Amino acid sequence: MSASASLSAGSDASGPGSPAGDQGNALPQLDSLISHLVAAKRSLSSINHVWRANEIVTSARSALEESVVISARTGFLRRGLNNQLRLLYSVRSEVEEVSLRGRSEFASVLKSLDTADARLRKTLDSLRDTIVHASFRPEGEEPRSLHDFVDERGVEELRAALKSSIDRTNEAQAELDTSNSAFDDELQSIKQALGNYREATKLASSSSSSSSASNSSLPSLSSMPPMLQSLEMHAQEMANLLESLVQHFDLCVTAVKHTEGGGAAARSITGDMPAAVTVSGRGVPNIEQGIHDNLNAPLDPLSESDYQEMVNVLIKDAAEAEDVVMEIQDRIGDMESILENILSQRDVLLSIYNATIGVFRHLSSLATARLPGYIAQAHSFTRVWGEEHDRINGGLADLSDLNTLYDGFLEAYDGLILEVARRRHVRQRVEKVLRETKHKLDQLYEEDVNARETFRVEQGDYLPSDIWPGIGREPMRIEFRRISGGILKGAPPEQPDAQDQPAAEPNEPQSGPSETTEEGEIIPHLPKSLVEEALHRLKARNRQAM
């Protein structure tokens, strides 16, 4: 039988009757009963544990209600938070993609620009290194390179325009990088807040009894209602145990009062009941009122056998009262542990809620105040890069055209050398024909003169002088005259300038006194090595073009 049941049985054994026995037997029994009464009085201090049990149940019920509300709010916020986080990281990925794509395209364009500019510089250097042969220029002129015939202002203006586009793009890229860096700082701050959130969730997961709980899930509330029910059961059982202690105390008071000389002792012992005993509440009997009623109640007569039976029950219950007190203490200890567990789960939920609120507020502030600026900066970079990309591509085409033009100038100069060599060769062939023709004409002239002289000597004396006026004339002479060629069809008209007239060729035949003053075409005399070098360069270009 439990201590509670035993004490309850002892309490039911009391009944009406009158005390029996002499003075000698009553005194020792009175001392024993008084000691039991004092012990019963001390056991009533367990009312503090019972009242604490009521407080624990109330606190646990309030914590459960608060946990339900917090869990519902946290779940609602988490769903919105997950959507906002996905959207935020999607925006960051898009902004980063804009930056990476622009940076890649810009780097590719810069590489093409560097290549085109290097080709142009190489071509210009070749123009500087190529000295125009002196035979092409007026006598006494300082040596000039092909670069001296090029107006490089267009190149410098083009480079300045390209540099402006590059600087503007770099500035836009730097602004976007600064914006993205600030965006990353915002994300890092959010990650720190999420770290607090995950830490709180991890703590909840480690303290949760559910094996399926994960670091990203809210702790389950399923364990809290059973714990509250356990607390209510403990509180009710403690109230029942306290009720048995009260009944034992009442039995002790009754036994002492029915013992000779015990009434005054009972009033003396119960007169200073502890203040805590005067408290009553849910599940807690009003002990003060019960004791007061018992002390002031008139004594009912008891028979000796009833009195002895009451004393026997009292002694038996007294042996179990200490166990009842210990059971109450054990139960209040269990209740404190259960309450601590409930409050711990409530605090974990509250920490998760606070962490969620922190992340949500940070996201809300970012979305309303700063995120539009980060997105606008990405759009601004896209617009600037689109404009400058077109300008740079146009400049790249202009650089290529200039390089083609100057490279064509180099090739044309080599072609000019070969053309001069070709014309020189044609002139030599013409001169050869002229020399051979002149030699034959001179032979014919001498033969004709000799024949005429022979005829005059042999027949002249017989012919009258007026028979033919030309009978005494020498044969006609043929002269060759060099006449400058006209302008080729489609060629621009010449701009005559005395300073730009080439020097006369040293071996060019000069006109005699009888020749016309008009000079023929003057063709520069070029060294054979110069012609061979030009031919070699042209062949090399043709091989590269194939």
Side-chain angles (χ1 to χ4, degrees):
M1 179 181 294
S2 67
S4 175
S6 176
L7 290 177
S8 297
S11 179
D12 293 340
S14 61
S18 60
D22 55 15
Q23 184 72 20
N25 293 333
L27 289 177
Q29 190 177 23
L30 179 61
D31 293 338
S32 177
L33 292 176
I34 288 175
S35 65
H36 288 312
L37 177 59
V38 172
K41 176 185 175 182
R42 285 198 306 269
S43 68
L44 292 182
S45 62
S46 297
I47 184 64
N48 295 324
H49 297 316
V50 176
W51 179 243
R52 174 58 184 159
N54 279 337
E55 292 179 347
I56 288 175
V57 171
T58 302
S59 298
R61 186 177 293 108
S62 176
L64 176 59
E65 294 172 354
E66 185 179 2
S67 298
V68 171
V69 174
I70 291 175
S71 180
R73 290 178 178 176
T74 304
F76 174 77
L77 289 177
R78 280 188 60 188
R79 288 189 292 273
L81 182 63
N82 290 336
N83 293 333
Q84 288 195 14
L85 284 174
R86 282 193 294 268
L87 179 60
L88 178 63
Y89 279 96
S90 176
V91 171
R92 181 63 184 92
S93 298
E94 290 294 331
V95 171
E96 184 65 21
E97 178 64 23
V98 168
S99 176
L100 292 177
R101 183 171 59 250
R103 192 184 300 275
S104 175
E105 293 175 354
F106 187 41
S108 177
V109 168
L110 286 181
K111 185 177 180 180
S112 299
L113 276 178
D114 290 340
T115 302
D117 188 63
R119 283 199 303 266
L120 180 59
R121 290 181 184 276
K122 182 179 179 181
T123 302
L124 290 174
D125 290 340
S126 298
L127 291 176
R128 291 187 183 93
D129 296 338
T130 303
I131 304 300
V132 179
H133 195 267
S135 60
F136 287 117
R137 305 302 303 158
E139 187 176 359
E141 183 184 67
E142 291 292 330
R144 299 177 68 181
S145 68
L146 294 182
H147 187 270
D148 295 331
F149 296 89
V150 173
D151 185 1
E152 206 172 345
R153 286 179 299 178
V155 177
E156 297 302 326
E157 291 174 357
L158 178 58
R159 285 174 175 165
L162 288 173
K163 184 178 183 301
S164 175
S165 295
I166 292 172
D167 290 343
R168 187 178 179 217
T169 303
N170 281 329
E171 182 179 353
Q173 182 70 62
E175 291 175 354
L176 180 60
D177 290 342
T178 301
S179 175
N180 288 347
S181 178
F183 201 167
D184 289 337
D185 291 341
E186 295 281 1
L187 292 179
Q188 186 62 32
S189 178
I190 291 175
K191 286 181 180 179
Q192 292 178 355
L194 286 174
N196 297 334
Y197 167 79
R198 292 191 182 96
E199 188 65 26
T201 309
K202 183 178 180 181
L203 178 62
S205 175
S206 63
S207 62
S208 175
S209 60
S210 175
S211 60
S212 62
S214 64
N215 290 346
S216 60
S217 62
L218 286 173
S220 174
L221 298 178
S222 60
S223 62
M224 296 182 73
M227 286 191 288
L228 178 60
Q229 293 175 1
S230 176
L231 290 176
E232 291 175 342
M233 182 189 69
H234 277 301
Q236 184 61 47
E237 188 63 27
M238 288 171 65
N240 295 335
L241 292 174
L242 180 62
E243 180 68 23
S244 68
L245 290 177
V246 171
Q247 292 174 0
H248 174 62
F249 177 78
D250 290 342
L251 187 61
C252 290
V253 171
T254 301
V256 171
K257 288 175 63 177
H258 280 81
T259 304
E260 185 177 354
R267 285 190 294 272
S268 174
I269 293 172
T270 59
D272 58 346
M273 293 296 293
V277 178
T278 64
V279 180
S280 64
R282 179 181 177 184
V284 183
N286 192 334
I287 298 174
E288 182 187 30
Q289 185 64 35
I291 294 174
H292 179 74
D293 294 343
N294 190 33
L295 290 175
N296 297 327
L299 291 176
D300 295 329
L302 288 176
S303 64
E304 182 178 356
S305 60
D306 291 338
Y307 175 78
Q308 189 62 45
E309 183 180 358
M310 180 180 64
V311 171
N312 292 336
V313 171
L314 184 150
I315 293 173
K316 181 181 179 182
D317 288 348
E320 297 178 355
E322 187 65 25
D323 294 336
V324 173
V325 172
M326 293 298 297
E327 184 177 351
I328 291 176
Q329 292 177 351
D330 291 341
R331 287 182 180 274
I332 195 63
D334 292 341
M335 291 182 71
E336 292 286 0
S337 177
I338 294 173
L339 176 63
E340 182 179 357
N341 193 0
I342 291 176
L343 294 180
S344 175
Q345 293 191 36
R346 190 269 322 265
D347 292 341
V348 168
L349 285 171
L350 187 59
S351 65
I352 295 176
Y353 175 73
N354 291 333
T356 306
I357 284 291
V359 177
F360 194 84
R361 287 174 179 170
H362 199 124
L363 282 175
S364 178
S365 174
L366 172 62
T368 56
R370 296 176 295 279
L371 184 60
Y374 301 145
I375 297 175
Q377 191 62 54
H379 286 306
S380 175
F381 171 76
T382 301
R383 176 182 56 80
V384 171
W385 171 233
E387 295 172 355
E388 299 306 328
H389 193 190
D390 293 339
R391 292 192 181 98
I392 292 175
N393 281 336
L396 185 61
D398 292 341
L399 282 177
S400 179
D401 292 342
L402 284 174
N403 183 72
T404 301
L405 175 64
Y406 295 150
D407 194 60
F409 185 17
L410 282 170
E411 184 176 356
Y413 178 69
D414 289 335
L416 174 63
I417 293 174
L418 296 183
E419 174 64 15
V420 169
R422 185 194 65 79
R423 293 186 183 186
R424 186 77 181 178
H425 179 66
V426 172
R427 170 64 64 84
Q428 290 173 352
R429 291 174 60 190
V430 169
E431 293 296 335
K432 181 180 179 181
V433 171
L434 286 175
R435 286 193 302 270
E436 292 176 352
T437 303
K438 187 174 182 301
H439 178 69
K440 290 181 179 180
L441 290 175
D442 288 343
Q443 286 181 343
L444 290 174
Y445 179 80
E446 291 296 333
E447 291 176 0
D448 193 11
V449 169
N450 292 333
R452 291 187 183 198
E453 183 63 25
T454 301
F455 176 78
R456 186 188 64 80
V457 171
E458 293 178 355
Q459 304 295 335
D461 293 339
Y462 302 102
L463 293 174
S465 59
D466 57 351
I467 192 171
W468 177 44
I471 195 171
R473 286 182 175 275
E474 292 182 352
M476 70 172 183
R477 298 182 67 91
I478 296 178
E479 294 179 354
F480 293 97
R481 185 176 62 180
R482 291 178 173 82
I483 301 175
S484 297
I487 303 301
L488 293 174
K489 184 178 180 180
E494 291 183 351
Q495 300 293 332
D497 189 346
Q499 295 181 354
D500 291 339
Q501 292 298 323
E505 298 181 43
N507 297 327
E508 189 72 26
Q510 301 296 321
S511 301
S514 61
E515 293 180 345
T516 178
T517 57
E518 295 186 28
E519 296 182 354
E521 181 183 17
I522 299 176
I523 301 177
H525 179 72
L526 302 177
K528 182 179 180 181
S529 60
L530 181 65
V531 177
E532 291 177 348
E533 290 174 358
L535 180 61
H536 176 73
R537 288 193 295 268
L538 285 175
K539 288 182 177 180
R541 290 191 184 94
N542 291 333
R543 285 195 298 269
Q544 291 177 357
M546 294 178 61

